[in-house]
Amino acid sequence: MAGRPQELPQGDLTVTPRQAAMRRTRSTAVLVASLLLIIGLIAWIAIARGNNVSDYEGTGNGEEQVVQIKEGASLSALGPELEERGIVASDNAFQTAAANNQNADNIQPGFYRLQGEMSAESAVDALLDPQQRVTPLQVYGGATLMDINILGGQKRLGILTMIQQAACGEKPASDCVNLEDLNKVAADADPETLGVPEWARETVAGRAGDAKRLEGLIAPGEDVIDPHASAEEILTDLITRSAKQYESTDIVGRAKAVGLTPYELLTAASLVEREAPAGEFDKVARVILNRLDEPMRLEFDSTVNYGLPSVEVATTDEDRGRVTPWNTYAMDGLPQTPIASPSIEAIEAMEHPAEGNWLFFVTVDKDGTTIFNDTFEQHLNDTQRAVDSGVLDSQR
């Protein structure tokens, strides 16, 4: 019948089109509200979590942790590690703090002492603080592995002691390398494992039990030490790097050219380093080669001092008569090992010695003036000049 609403079957009920539309609208509204509630809940959880762990407060909990910024690595790459180790609460906070610090680009590669649970801002500040950077090991030309007592009460620190100081700082951690371990590894570890170059392994292996067998194999320079590395790891790293430096000069080829083995050249270069004033390396190298060719004993006071408990520039007749593996007054040829760490300049001086017939040299004044002579008579005259100027005064 016209004008009568159409009845739709719905179970036992009859629903009009208008009622069906209203039901659909209500269902949609409920669905939308539910989705909004879920989205809101997720956002609230995320915000709550972010507020709880986005950043710590303060400068740390006092528990030291050492981190490394590697050569060529960006500061941003450090963030995830700091978060994982609990040094900062989140990488995001660290990245934000770094971006907000205009000096962050000045942070240098190296090892740094941080603490657990630092605010991101204080972590960035610590990386900019020179006091928190682990001091690099600085080996100078002529340094020796062992400490040296100088007459008069002074002490010249050896490389092994300097390694301990560079690694441990003023407050050594329990896992920090110590001098005893360094000496033991230097004396007993397998030379190949330590990175000793092939041309030095036989000699080094033959002196097992003596830490001085590694003398000369750590080149002068600046090296960053991992404070938590073992004695063997530290020495292996230093010796391996040094071997690459020495071999970059073509030490094998150049040694053959001057009539020495590479290890002999290294040993001779250590004499140059200890005997020669600045600028005279190539002349002293020539004296060494000339004397070896004669042949005549080198008779260098530096080789006498190397075997003594206390040293000074001048040596006594008694000292010069001592038979040691290094004393070139009491033995022919070169010492059995280097007596110090030779610089690249000393190595290159032995590889490319000056031209000359000199057999003698002596430093005649405290300014470092050195005279080179062909004859013993001339040398005696200049030695007296050295005595008169006080260079060869003895406190023994």
Side-chain angles (χ1 to χ4, degrees):
M1 183 179 294
R4 182 178 179 179
Q6 182 180 0
E7 294 182 358
L8 300 174
Q10 182 76 23
D12 295 333
L13 301 175
T14 300
V15 180
T16 67
R18 182 179 179 184
Q19 289 172 323
M22 291 176 64
R23 287 184 178 182
R24 286 195 296 273
T25 300
R26 283 197 297 272
S27 298
T28 301
V30 170
L31 177 60
V32 171
S34 298
L35 289 173
L36 290 174
L37 180 62
I38 292 171
I39 293 171
L41 180 61
I42 292 173
W44 181 84
I45 292 173
I47 292 172
R49 287 180 176 175
N51 287 338
N52 287 336
V53 301
S54 63
D55 205 358
Y56 293 121
E57 294 183 359
T59 58
N61 59 12
E63 297 178 2
E64 181 181 290
Q65 298 198 45
V66 175
V67 301
Q68 180 185 16
I69 300 177
K70 297 181 179 179
E71 287 285 348
S74 65
L75 183 61
S76 61
L78 185 62
E81 178 188 347
L82 297 184
E83 179 181 347
E84 182 179 350
R85 293 173 58 179
I87 294 173
V88 299
S90 71
D91 176 37
N92 285 339
F94 179 73
Q95 304 300 344
T96 300
N100 290 337
N101 192 315
Q102 61 182 0
N103 295 318
D105 289 340
N106 296 327
I107 295 175
Q108 301 296 311
F111 288 91
Y112 293 83
R113 294 183 173 92
L114 304 184
Q115 296 182 31
E117 300 183 358
M118 305 180 77
S119 72
E121 181 180 354
S122 64
V124 174
D125 288 341
L127 292 170
L128 284 163
D129 184 357
Q131 298 299 316
Q132 302 307 321
R133 187 169 188 249
V134 176
T135 303
L137 170 70
Q138 294 181 317
V139 177
Y140 56 88
T144 54
L145 282 175
M146 307 302 173
D147 297 346
I148 292 179
N149 294 314
I150 301 174
L151 285 177
Q154 298 176 321
K155 176 180 283 190
R156 188 165 66 228
L157 297 183
I159 295 171
L160 298 185
T161 297
M162 291 191 286
I163 289 173
Q164 178 182 258
Q165 290 187 348
C168 303
E170 296 181 359
K171 298 179 180 179
S174 59
D175 61 344
C176 187
V177 68
N178 60 60
L179 192 58
E180 182 180 353
D181 288 342
L182 288 165
N183 272 288
K184 181 173 177 54
V185 170
D188 299 329
D190 176 61
E192 184 174 0
T193 300
L194 289 176
V196 173
E198 186 175 357
W199 43 263
R201 285 177 198 161
E202 182 178 355
T203 303
V204 172
R207 300 186 66 83
D210 180 7
K212 286 185 175 181
R213 67 190 183 138
L214 297 184
E215 193 71 87
L217 292 171
I218 297 177
E222 181 176 286
D223 294 284
V224 177
I225 302 295
D226 181 351
H228 293 162
S230 68
E232 184 166 330
E233 289 169 336
I234 291 172
L235 289 176
T236 299
D237 180 49
L238 292 172
I239 292 170
T240 301
R241 288 195 221 176
S242 299
K244 290 179 180 178
Q245 289 186 52
Y246 291 150
E247 289 175 350
S248 71
T249 70
D250 188 27
I251 190 172
V252 175
R254 291 304 307 167
K256 185 176 181 180
V258 295
L260 301 174
T261 68
Y263 189 74
E264 287 173 336
L265 191 146
L266 183 75
T267 301
S270 75
L271 304 185
V272 169
E273 190 73 56
R274 295 296 298 143
E275 288 281 340
E280 306 283 10
F281 279 9
D282 58 343
K283 289 185 177 181
V284 174
R286 174 51 65 190
V287 171
I288 292 172
L289 293 173
N290 286 348
R291 285 197 165 212
L292 292 175
D293 286 343
E294 278 292 314
M296 63 185 294
R297 290 185 173 179
L298 295 178
E299 297 185 342
F300 285 177
D301 288 323
S302 58
T303 66
V304 176
N305 277 323
Y306 187 75
L308 297 179
S310 298
V311 306
E312 63 176 346
V313 174
T315 58
T316 65
D317 290 340
E318 181 182 358
D319 293 336
R320 291 190 289 272
R322 295 173 185 263
V323 178
T324 74
W326 306 282
N327 182 4
T328 55
Y329 278 91
M331 65 187 292
D332 297 333
L334 292 162
Q336 293 182 18
T337 74
I339 63 168
S341 291
S343 62
I344 293 298
E345 291 76 14
I347 293 281
E348 290 177 339
M350 282 305 309
E351 293 173 346
H352 305 279
E355 291 298 325
N357 298 318
W358 312 294
L359 292 172
F360 306 93
F361 65 92
V362 61
T363 299
V364 297
D365 59 36
K366 294 182 179 180
D367 293 330
T369 304
T370 301
I371 305 297
F372 292 81
N373 289 310
D374 299 347
T375 69
F376 186 58
E377 290 73 23
Q378 292 172 316
H379 178 63
L380 284 179
N381 291 333
D382 290 323
T383 299
Q384 187 58 50
R385 287 177 58 189
V387 172
D388 294 341
S389 69
V391 172
L392 294 182
D393 282 348
S394 175
Q395 300 183 44
R396 296 181 191 275

